[in-house]
Each structure stands twice: as C-alpha cells, then as structure tokens.
Amino acid sequence: MRTAILEAARRNRVLGALPPEELCRVSTSLRLQFLPRGAQLHEQGRPVAQVYFPVGCVVAALQVMRDGRSAQAATIGSEGVVGLGALSRVDGAAVRTVVQIAGEALCATAAELRGLRDESPALAERLQRYQRFLLTQVMRAVGCNQLHSLSQRLCRHLLALRDASGADVLAITQEFLAEMLGSQRPRINRLVKQLEEAGALRRRRGELIITDVAKLERGACDCHLALREEFERLMVP
Ligand SMILES: [Zn+2]
C-alpha cells in the first residue's frame, strides 16, 4: 500500500516535485481515497477537516451565493491541492468544493497537513507557491466572468478539465457544466452542439470527448494560456 501511495504522490504536481526523501516522509501521513462524482468535500464558511491532493479526480471550487446559485472560481486536479484553508487554524473554507470528475486523491487531516508543513520547508514552499497560483486563478475568474463570452468560457473550462484530469474523455454532464459556468442548461446544450458540429468534441452518454484540442483553444479566451504560463512559472522547478 505504501508503494501505491508513493507512486500516487509522484503524480500530484505539488507533492511530486519534493526531494525524494521528503516525499517519502510526507507520503507516510497520506491516505489514498476514491472520490465519486458530485461528492462535496468542503462547505463554504465551514471548517476544513480534510485536505486532498488529487491524483485522478478533478474538483470544482464554487463560490455560492445566498440564493443558492453558484459559479466556479477554480478547477483543481493533479496540479494542486483542495482545502488550503486548513493551513490556517482560523479560516473556514473560502469556497464549496465538489468533485467534478471522479477519481483518486491522497488525503490528510487539516492538523496532519499543518504538521507536515511545519516539518518540511520544501512542502511549505510548494504549498505557498500553489496558494499563489490558486489566487491568480480566482482573480482571473473575476475578469473572465465579466469580460469573456459564455462560449469562450465553455471552451476554456473544457481545456482546464482536460489539463486537470490528463484525459480527452471527460465524464461530465451538460447540466453540471451549466452549473459550473453559472448558466442555463439550454444555452450550454446549444454551445456544446455547435462545438460538436465544428468537430471540436463528441457527445456520448454522460461524457464529452475532446476530438480537436486546437479548435477548442481557438474558441477559448486567453485565460487558459495565461494560467498555464503562470503555473509553469510558479510550479515547475
Ligand atoms: Zn477568460
């Protein structure tokens, strides 16, 4: 089991860049867990009990309004960490986090993560760098939601899901996409159909299959590329 955890830890971009001996030490406190689609990991404003390092699942960070509507602030996959509010004892979760694509994650309790961070300067730096990237992603979402069209944001979101999951086949429904993009399902259905007619993707029951990445990139706003460059700058050793 320990070997499986170590191998999984290498697939997460925050953990995978740790020096080998630090990675070994940190991984002894982590547990591998399967997260089903739709599982809610954190509730906005509530204490963060567990922290997750995705190694196959993709998690949406949602900003929830008082009337119950929500919009996506960030997409977190194997490049990141879910539940960074755990780093501070006083903060509740800033967002609601929901599993968007089912898969595995390595998890630790909030107290365990704080302990690991205090003992490992290399992990502390990786977490700090990722926190900075996440802040950039959230700030970018503010501009994107205001300035870019729904069609551009849909393409961008599909590319982000592809990056975060490492797969062209995305097990997501159009209803879920509408929720993530804060839009109506008929509008999303129309846009997905247009993308299918243009040859960018194919629809299958409960799945979208990306068939032409270049076409999606041409349809997306520049946020996708800007964030990818920022990730490389901050997180690639
Ligand atoms: Zn944008």
Side-chain angles (χ1 to χ4, degrees):
M1 191 59 191
R2 289 257 58 94
T3 316
I5 288 178
L6 196 56
E7 275 171 15
R10 287 195 189 105
R11 296 206 302 274
N12 180 275
R13 305 280 300 270
V14 174
L15 298 172
L18 291 173
E21 66 280 9
E22 296 260 323
L23 182 66
C24 267
R25 207 155 51 79
V26 167
S27 69
T28 57
S29 299
L30 301 173
R31 294 167 292 282
L32 198 56
Q33 196 180 335
F34 179 82
L35 303 175
R37 181 165 74 182
Q40 186 177 307
L41 306 180
H42 306 106
E43 179 55 300
Q44 197 168 301
R46 307 284 302 167
V48 174
Q50 294 267 349
V51 184
Y52 302 85
F53 294 87
V55 290
C57 67
V58 178
V59 176
L62 302 168
Q63 188 59 223
V64 187
M65 305 300 156
R66 286 195 173 180
D67 65 5
R69 288 183 302 161
S70 61
Q72 186 150 2
T75 302
I76 306 168
S78 59
E79 85 295 345
V81 192
V82 186
L84 279 175
L87 289 175
S88 148
R89 286 170 197 276
V90 290
D91 282 357
V95 285
R96 175 185 291 169
T97 58
V98 179
V99 178
Q100 205 163 18
I101 294 179
E104 288 183 318
L106 288 163
C107 65
T109 65
E112 282 170 335
L113 183 73
R114 287 195 294 270
L116 290 169
R117 174 206 53 191
D118 294 346
E119 286 166 16
S120 167
L123 178 63
E125 191 190 333
R126 294 300 291 166
L127 291 170
Q128 206 171 27
R129 282 174 173 270
Y130 182 69
Q131 209 162 14
R132 169 61 208 264
F133 173 70
L134 202 56
L135 183 64
T136 307
Q137 202 182 143
V138 172
M139 288 194 294
R140 190 85 195 184
V142 176
C144 187
N145 288 341
Q146 217 165 345
L147 302 172
H148 298 150
S149 71
L150 183 61
S151 169
Q152 287 177 312
R153 290 195 292 123
L154 172 63
C155 291
R156 177 204 161 190
H157 188 63
L158 292 171
L159 289 167
L161 284 173
R162 179 178 180 268
D163 283 354
S165 66
D168 286 323
V169 179
L170 306 174
I172 44 165
T173 62
Q174 292 173 58
E175 189 174 2
F176 211 56
L177 276 176
E179 196 187 331
M180 296 302 118
L181 293 166
S183 179
Q184 302 295 321
R185 192 176 158 181
R187 285 189 71 195
I188 295 294
N189 287 358
R190 260 199 313 277
L191 290 172
V192 168
K193 195 159 173 266
Q194 281 169 14
L195 287 171
E196 188 173 34
E197 283 162 3
L201 54 80
R202 240 170 356 100
R203 285 180 290 179
R204 206 160 59 188
R205 198 176 167 77
E207 288 180 340
L208 289 178
I209 303 148
I210 296 174
T211 49
D212 193 331
V213 178
K215 274 187 184 149
L216 271 190
E217 283 174 343
R218 281 198 295 276
C221 51
D222 61 353
C223 295
H224 179 251
L225 190 61
L227 282 174
R228 190 184 267 183
E229 284 172 359
E230 185 65 355
F231 183 83
E232 302 278 318
R233 188 179 76 79
L234 286 168
M235 299 300 292
V236 177

